[in-house]
Amino acid sequence: MSIFVILGLLVCIIEAQGPSAVTPVFVQKGGDVCLNVDADVPEDFILVEWNFNETVILVRFPLGGEQPTVSPGYAGRIEFPEKKYSVKLKNLQEADRGVYTAKVLLNKGDRTLAKYNVIVQDPVSPVELTVISVDSRSSECDLTVTCRTQDSHINSTLRCDNQTCSQEGGEQSEVTTSGASLHVYLSNGSIICNHSNQVSWTKNIKMREHFCLQPDDPESPPAGISVCLLKIVVFSVGLIIMVSAVITVHLMEKLRKHK
């Protein structure tokens, strides 16, 4: 008997926890959000109600399929998707951050159907990637770069050779004062600075070879041109030696005849 009682209590706890669990939802400022009711609603309910932070009523769905009643403060901002008792809240602003709860009122109390913690975020600001120093050698190139936003920045050092680059300390990341993520990393020979939050992202990309000149780079003399220059130099030196020898022989012949 006690086993059945325990099982019954566990079922009640699970049912109570499921709908009442708060689901986080991230929305860009000025955007819309759909708040869905997935739980079953008893047929003998009195009404279904959406409220904000447990105090402000958004809309009420009465029994009998009558038109829902929208509170004056949300007139023009609420639409009703096809899914029953779900709502679409439009043009969210900072003041709309908070917990939205759908409840069904019954003859014997009420029950939570859905609960959402809506978090409104601004889009992230543009990001700037700057190379602040370059140390180039015959086969290696060290770069120091800065990934910067309006309120934060990251410095990172990269070491490159003829083939690959590596990042000292691995990928660098930081959480900005606005709660966004700032991230600088390497990908396929590119240096990437990424600024993102849950609703938006922006990035800045620079190519490594624009700063580290390698033997095959366009700015470096091609191997064919180097060989050609070497041949010209050798030919010129040989020609000078030959002409000098001819002049010397001619002068010596003149001196001999003069004597």
Side-chain angles (χ1 to χ4, degrees):
M1 182 67 178
S2 59
I3 294 177
F4 291 106
V5 173
I6 293 172
L7 290 175
L9 290 173
L10 286 174
V11 170
C12 291
I13 291 172
I14 292 171
E15 289 181 350
Q17 287 179 343
S20 62
V22 180
T23 302
V25 179
F26 294 90
V27 185
Q28 185 169 314
K29 187 176 180 180
D32 305 338
V33 63
C34 286
L35 306 177
N36 293 320
V37 172
D38 296 319
D40 293 331
V41 178
E43 294 182 358
D44 59 344
F45 73 93
I46 299 174
L47 61 85
V48 173
E49 172 187 286
W50 277 98
N51 64 54
F52 174 54
N53 288 340
E54 300 289 345
T55 56
V56 180
I57 297 173
L58 277 68
V59 60
R60 281 177 169 170
F61 297 86
L63 178 63
E66 299 178 14
Q67 286 293 326
T69 303
V70 179
S71 297
Y74 289 89
R77 293 190 58 204
I78 289 183
E79 293 181 354
F80 302 100
E82 293 182 3
K83 201 165 189 177
K84 208 168 185 180
Y85 309 119
S86 298
V87 296
K88 180 180 181 181
L89 188 58
K90 302 170 61 178
N91 190 25
L92 272 74
Q93 303 298 317
E94 289 290 336
D96 296 312
R97 300 179 69 171
V99 177
Y100 293 78
T101 306
K103 289 185 177 181
V104 56
L105 276 66
L106 306 169
N107 291 320
K108 296 181 180 179
D110 56 28
R111 192 176 79 192
T112 298
L113 299 173
K115 184 176 284 191
Y116 297 91
N117 181 23
V118 175
I119 302 161
V120 181
Q121 292 184 329
D122 288 317
V124 294
S125 62
V127 70
E128 180 182 6
L129 179 62
T130 307
V131 179
I132 57 178
S133 69
V134 179
D135 180 14
S136 296
R137 295 178 292 280
S138 59
S139 61
E140 289 187 347
C141 171
D142 291 346
L143 302 176
T144 302
V145 300
T146 295
C147 179
R148 184 182 300 277
T149 66
Q150 293 176 344
D151 57 8
S152 187
H153 74 277
I154 298 176
N155 290 336
S156 185
T157 300
L158 314 175
R159 174 159 293 180
C160 304
D161 57 24
N162 293 345
Q163 301 295 328
T164 61
C165 288
S166 61
Q167 190 170 2
E168 289 189 3
E171 297 183 3
Q172 305 291 320
S173 61
E174 181 176 309
V175 178
T176 68
T177 54
S178 61
S181 175
L182 189 61
H183 191 199
V184 59
Y185 60 97
L186 287 166
S187 178
N188 297 325
S190 300
I191 310 165
I192 301 176
C193 178
N194 186 72
H195 188 207
S196 63
N197 58 17
Q198 287 82 357
V199 299
S200 64
W201 63 272
T202 182
K203 66 172 58 176
N204 196 331
I205 302 174
K206 293 189 182 297
M207 304 300 291
R208 180 264 303 176
E209 49 268 17
H210 290 172
F211 306 97
C212 296
L213 299 182
Q214 302 299 334
D216 294 332
D217 288 337
E219 290 83 349
S220 301
I225 294 179
S226 299
V227 172
C228 183
L229 288 174
L230 180 61
K231 289 181 179 180
I232 292 173
V233 171
V234 172
F235 177 78
S236 300
V237 171
L239 183 62
I240 291 171
I241 293 173
M242 185 175 64
V243 171
S244 299
V246 171
I247 293 173
T248 301
V249 170
H250 179 70
L251 290 174
M252 290 178 66
E253 183 66 21
K254 287 185 67 176
L255 287 173
R256 186 179 65 79
K257 288 181 178 181
H258 182 72
K259 290 180 179 181

